[in-house]
Amino acid sequence: MAKKMFVDLERCIGCWTCAMSCKMDHDLADDEYRVTVRTNGSGAGIDRPQGVYPNLRMSWQPIYQKSCTWCAERLAQGLPTMCEYACPTEALAFGDDADPESPYSQALARCVGRHYHVFELPAYENSRDGVVYATRA
Ligand code: SF4
Ligand code: SF4
């Protein structure tokens, strides 16, 4: 049994609201982040997709840092994690991986049912443990 964050990458629009809401809620310094958002598949320039039309590709991926606390103080008050709460597309779902009714388990089951590719980041990324991603296979 462990608390985990599920990230549906098909829902992530790269808005950075998770990162900024975390900074606001935890009063972090300007250069301090507990989650950042990586752009995958970006071509030359800012936010230009890779490839040639109509075969263009760009996607985003929240990367949780080891400094992330899973919002321990919010959970103690019965509140959701701030990044999950603030995400406008419901790309994030946090909860107990042993509880089939938790938001984490429900979101995972939804994506597995759609035959998404489910994965975690490799150790060399040095990111927080307990983050599970899914994307269209
Ligand atoms: S996880 Fe949600 S809040 Fe974060 S960048 Fe993606 S869509 Fe925005
Ligand atoms: S779970 Fe809480 S501490 Fe961790 S990145 Fe999200 S808002 Fe920040």
Side-chain angles (χ1 to χ4, degrees), residues 14 20-21 34 38-39 46 52 56 65 68 72 87 91 96 99-100 102 105 121-124 135:
M20 302 316 289
S21 64
R34 294 181 182 173
R38 178 181 296 170
T39 300
I46 296 173
V52 177
L56 301 174
Q65 311 299 313
C68 165
C87 175
D96 187 341
D99 176 3
S102 73
S105 299
L121 285 179
Y124 66 74
T135 187

Side-chain angles (χ1 to χ4, degrees), residues 7 11-19 37 60 62 83 86-89 91-92:
V7 187
R11 292 189 175 194
C12 181
I13 57 171
C15 65
W16 280 74
T17 303
C18 47
V37 184
W60 299 271
C83 52
C87 175
T89 63
L92 305 174

Side-chain angles (χ1 to χ4, degrees), residues 16 27 40 70 100 104 106 115 117 127 136:
W16 280 74
D27 200 21
N40 290 325
W70 285 158
Y104 169 88
Q106 294 280 309
H115 306 291
H117 171 55
S127 58
R136 260 188 214 117

Side-chain angles (χ1 to χ4, degrees), residues 78-131:
L79 298 171
T81 58
M82 191 64 209
C83 52
E84 174 193 25
Y85 175 72
C87 175
T89 63
E90 299 184 358
L92 305 174
F94 180 76
D96 187 341
D97 67 348
D99 176 3
E101 301 302 321
S102 73
Y104 169 88
S105 299
Q106 294 280 309
L108 174 62
R110 183 189 71 236
C111 289
V112 168
R114 293 175 181 169
H115 306 291
Y116 282 14
H117 171 55
V118 176
F119 65 97
E120 297 181 35
L121 285 179
Y124 66 74
E125 292 272 12
N126 204 30
S127 58
R128 195 197 199 294
D129 289 335
V131 182

